[in-house]
Amino acid sequence: SQQGEEDPQALSIQEGENATMNCSYKTSINNLQWYRQNSGRGLVHLILIRSNEREKHSGRLRVTLDTSKKSSSLLITASRAADTASYFCATANAGGTSYGKLTFGQGTILTVHP
Amino acid sequence: DGGITQSPKYLFRKEGQNVTLSCEQNLNHDAMYWYRQDPGQGLRLIYYSQIVNDFQKGDIAEGYSVSREKKESFPLTVTSAQKNPTAFYLCASSIRADYGYTFGSGTRLTVV
């Protein structure tokens, strides 16, 4: 079952602009993670935000988490052509039999034009 | 240099054949996972293992089997019972469930 739903499905911007991707989920979570996937490759872990955190930064990445709305956003600032990839959010459910699994969203395809 | 290795990169399966995808990690991670990705889609969990000699079914386990005899290895067998096996298969590992995953580079399986 898909826990996360991402919006938009595709995003096309110019180099230097900011890119914002959103993720909504349905059940209580332990943490939410963002991953990047270049075409035909494996996923690369970008950032993890725990359920008791509201905002986290890593380089040009900024992630927010609103547990009351069950949503998260990933902001990439000053985008570069090399940021072109698919971005996925993934949730780790809080406790129970789901402990140990990540459930992934459908992803946002980001294209950054030089 | 630690990492997770999947092989082969490309695999072709004839109708009615079983095939095994390899996944090896030298990260000393306890947990390992197999996901399937279809074109333009997210990842769906096939099987996962949190410790040696133990594994659990994911959301789409039918037609697949796994073993976890060693901490480093978590092979996935796609059996003839899997009616639509053409997909990109991704293996991952993690220290703990609430840490990020490290992914392999994937195996693309095609039925011919």
Side-chain angles (χ1 to χ4, degrees):
Chain A
S1 59
Q2 297 292 338
Q3 159 82 306
E5 293 189 6
E6 294 174 67
D7 171 61
Q9 288 188 322
L11 181 59
S12 181
I13 59 174
Q14 295 296 126
E15 214 166 25
E17 293 180 340
N18 295 343
T20 300
M21 290 159 264
N22 303 296
C23 171
S24 60
Y25 58 91
K26 299 186 177 109
T27 62
S28 296
I29 61 170
N30 176 288
N31 67 74
L32 185 144
Q33 304 177 29
W34 286 90
Y35 288 81
R36 165 195 170 122
Q37 184 182 35
N38 288 85
S39 183
R41 307 294 297 272
L43 278 71
V44 174
H45 180 255
L46 294 176
I47 197 165
L48 181 153
I49 186 165
R50 302 190 188 282
S51 60
N52 60 353
E53 297 175 312
R54 292 296 166 257
E55 187 170 314
K56 208 160 181 181
H57 297 253
S58 176
R60 293 184 295 113
L61 305 180
R62 173 179 166 245
V63 169
T64 61
L65 179 65
D66 186 337
T67 52
S68 66
K69 294 181 179 177
K70 292 187 168 58
S71 68
S72 173
S73 67
L74 171 67
L75 168 68
I76 304 174
T77 60
S79 63
R80 306 165 183 168
D83 293 328
T84 294
S86 294
Y87 291 82
F88 293 90
C89 71
T91 52
N93 289 346
T97 57
S98 296
Y99 184 70
K101 302 187 297 182
L102 283 183
T103 305
F104 285 80
Q106 303 278 60
T108 293
I109 300 172
L110 173 66
T111 304
V112 182
H113 299 281
Chain B
D1 199 16
I4 183 165
T5 302
Q6 289 187 243
S7 62
K9 192 173 175 67
Y10 299 96
L11 186 57
F12 297 91
R13 192 193 93 167
K14 294 182 181 178
E15 297 280 354
Q17 257 186 349
N18 292 354
V19 291
T20 297
L21 283 60
S22 171
C23 178
E24 304 274 335
Q25 54 100 359
N26 60 2
L27 299 165
N28 200 33
H29 287 172
D30 283 318
M32 296 186 75
Y33 310 84
W34 274 105
Y35 284 87
R36 170 183 170 138
Q37 185 178 32
D38 292 284
Q41 300 294 312
L43 279 66
R44 292 184 290 168
L45 183 64
I46 304 172
Y47 268 99
Y48 65 106
S49 168
Q50 293 180 307
I51 197 167
V52 174
N53 293 322
D54 185 56
F55 48 83
Q56 306 294 328
K57 290 183 179 180
D59 300 316
I60 56 164
E62 187 175 348
Y64 300 97
S65 66
V66 293
S67 63
R68 187 85 187 277
E69 296 175 2
K70 296 187 299 182
K71 188 175 185 177
E72 302 79 20
S73 178
F74 191 40
L76 173 74
T77 297
V78 184
T79 75
S80 56
Q82 170 50 237
K83 297 306 177 191
N84 185 23
T86 294
F88 190 49
Y89 291 86
L90 287 158
C91 180
S93 69
S94 68
I95 297 173
R96 287 172 29 178
D98 55 350
Y99 278 65
Y101 286 7
T102 300
F103 277 86
S105 55
T107 293
R108 190 166 300 280
L109 174 63
T110 305
V111 174
V112 295

